[in-house]
Amino acid sequence: MFIWLASYPKSGNTLVRSLLSSYFFSKDGIFNFELIKNIKQFPIKELFLKNGIDINNEKEVIRSYLKIQESINIKNSIQFLKTHSYLFNIENNPFTKLEYSLGVIYIVRDPRNVVLSSSNHNNQSHERSTEDLIIGRELKPKGKESIKVYTGTWGGNFNSWKSFKSVNKYLLVHYEDLIKEKDKIFYEILKFIHNLKNIEFVLDKKKFQNVLDSTDFGKVQKLESQTGFNESMVDKNTGKKIKFFNLGEKTNWQSFLEPNLQNKIEEAFEKEMKELCYL
């Protein structure tokens, strides 16, 4: 069975995947971009094509979500699935079922900073990114990720995954905490995973430290400049790749977000932002 790594886009999912892939899929814990490929996106076209699903038929794709997840569950090893989807039910077709998953690690980030990060990543205005956040969006097909992803609104995405709380299969990770106390939060993530698997948690201290060191934002940013990163977008005007690891923890809505957009976000998600101590 698998563990979901769920989040609204640009909320820190890549950092969590970097940590986990380095710890579970390397011998020494030293991060590189190839390791991330061990954690698949869901949905992603290869999984559907392998099962004979017509990926151009949107309704067939949605009806097949559970079938694809059943095929993934055949494996007995630790598996992670990244998703930016909200936990939807479209025409009685659920995104997943509780019994199909070991659990979910939900990564959340202050939506005012999500707007800034999303704006840079998608090469669009703050206004457009704010609209996506509040009204909801669908991720357009890109490269291998050529199946539509229904992210919903920022608040809707966050609220939908809480259903895993009822069966103690839910861990909430604030991106801000992960940045400030990466060692503490990553340790909690590892304990959560081992508890889900009902196996004794014995920390590999050397590998753990290597993971922390090699996923330092500055080092990963340098690695992207040297080798590139396949998840970065292309600027349509220049044809050049947009830096994926742009500002990280230096993203600061107080300095860069227009006051009217700040107000719109806070009004739209007042309840969720108070719950998460962002207000």
Side-chain angles (χ1 to χ4, degrees):
M1 295 176 72
F2 48 81
I3 298 169
W4 293 104
L5 306 179
S7 66
Y8 191 85
K10 307 309 295 178
S11 297
N13 202 307
T14 301
L15 175 54
V16 174
R17 285 185 294 141
S18 300
L19 295 168
L20 292 175
S21 62
S22 300
Y23 191 85
F24 287 106
F25 303 117
S26 76
K27 292 182 179 179
D28 54 14
I30 296 176
F31 171 73
N32 65 71
F33 289 139
E34 287 298 309
L35 291 172
I36 285 186
K37 294 178 181 179
N38 288 287
I39 299 178
K40 303 296 185 186
Q41 163 93 14
F42 191 90
I44 189 169
K45 75 174 184 181
E46 279 74 9
L47 294 173
F48 288 78
L49 291 174
K50 192 183 294 184
N51 285 270
I53 309 302
D54 179 6
I55 63 172
N56 296 311
N57 186 327
E58 191 172 337
K59 289 190 175 181
E60 184 181 351
V61 168
I62 293 172
R63 284 196 301 266
S64 303
Y65 272 35
L66 297 184
K67 176 183 176 181
I68 301 303
Q69 291 171 31
E70 285 177 353
S71 71
I72 297 170
N73 270 333
I74 293 173
K75 294 182 180 179
N76 194 34
S77 57
I78 287 183
Q79 297 181 85
F80 303 100
L81 286 180
K82 164 204 170 182
T83 192
H84 289 314
S85 176
Y86 76 98
L87 206 58
F88 62 68
N89 190 312
I90 299 176
E91 296 180 354
N92 292 319
N93 296 298
F95 176 84
T96 190
K97 290 184 177 180
L98 289 174
E99 60 266 30
Y100 280 29
S101 317
L102 274 175
V104 59
I105 297 168
Y106 191 87
I107 306 108
V108 70
R109 184 183 191 183
D110 189 318
R112 294 164 295 192
N113 280 332
V114 169
V115 162
L116 298 180
S117 187
S118 179
S119 179
N120 173 76
H121 179 68
N122 295 306
N123 194 27
Q124 63 186 26
S125 67
H126 292 172
E127 288 82 1
R128 172 62 192 279
S129 292
T130 300
E131 183 179 314
D132 288 344
L133 201 80
I134 294 173
I135 298 176
R137 62 179 295 200
E138 298 171 356
L139 294 185
K140 301 294 173 83
K142 169 185 175 290
K144 290 183 178 181
E145 298 175 7
S146 57
I147 293 179
K148 196 178 291 183
V149 179
Y150 304 91
T151 66
T153 67
W154 176 85
N157 194 300
F158 163 64
N159 286 320
S160 70
W161 285 93
K162 291 179 186 177
S163 58
F164 278 78
K165 273 185 172 183
S166 63
V167 287
N168 296 316
K169 292 184 173 184
Y170 180 88
L171 178 67
L172 179 65
V173 173
H174 284 74
Y175 173 78
E176 295 80 9
D177 293 339
L178 187 58
I179 292 298
K180 291 177 183 175
E181 300 179 288
K182 189 164 68 170
D183 55 345
K184 176 187 174 183
I185 303 302
F186 184 40
Y187 185 82
E188 290 177 0
I189 291 173
L190 291 177
K191 279 202 306 182
F192 174 73
I193 292 167
H194 284 75
N195 286 338
L196 290 176
K197 293 285 287 182
N198 288 317
I199 55 178
E200 183 183 1
F201 177 43
V202 180
L203 182 69
D204 184 327
K205 293 182 180 180
K206 184 176 181 181
K207 179 182 274 193
F208 182 79
Q209 191 59 50
N210 283 344
V211 171
L212 297 177
D213 293 341
S214 62
T215 56
D216 172 78
F217 185 80
K219 290 181 180 178
V220 175
Q221 195 175 47
K222 183 178 180 181
L223 185 62
E224 181 187 13
S225 68
Q226 294 171 339
T227 67
F229 183 45
N230 67 349
E231 294 183 24
S232 61
M233 303 287 276
V234 175
D235 188 320
K236 294 179 182 178
N237 296 320
T238 66
K240 294 181 179 179
K241 287 257 189 169
I242 299 169
K243 189 186 293 183
F244 187 93
F245 299 96
N246 184 40
L247 293 176
E249 62 185 281
K250 294 180 181 178
T251 302
N252 185 353
W253 64 266
Q254 290 97 330
S255 301
F256 300 109
L257 187 63
E258 295 83 348
N260 65 309
L261 299 181
Q262 174 194 336
N263 291 335
K264 280 186 179 181
I265 294 168
E266 292 175 357
E267 287 175 9
F269 303 119
E270 181 180 7
K271 175 178 174 291
E272 291 82 6
M273 292 180 72
K274 284 183 175 178
E275 177 184 341
L276 292 163
C277 299
Y278 290 138
L279 283 179

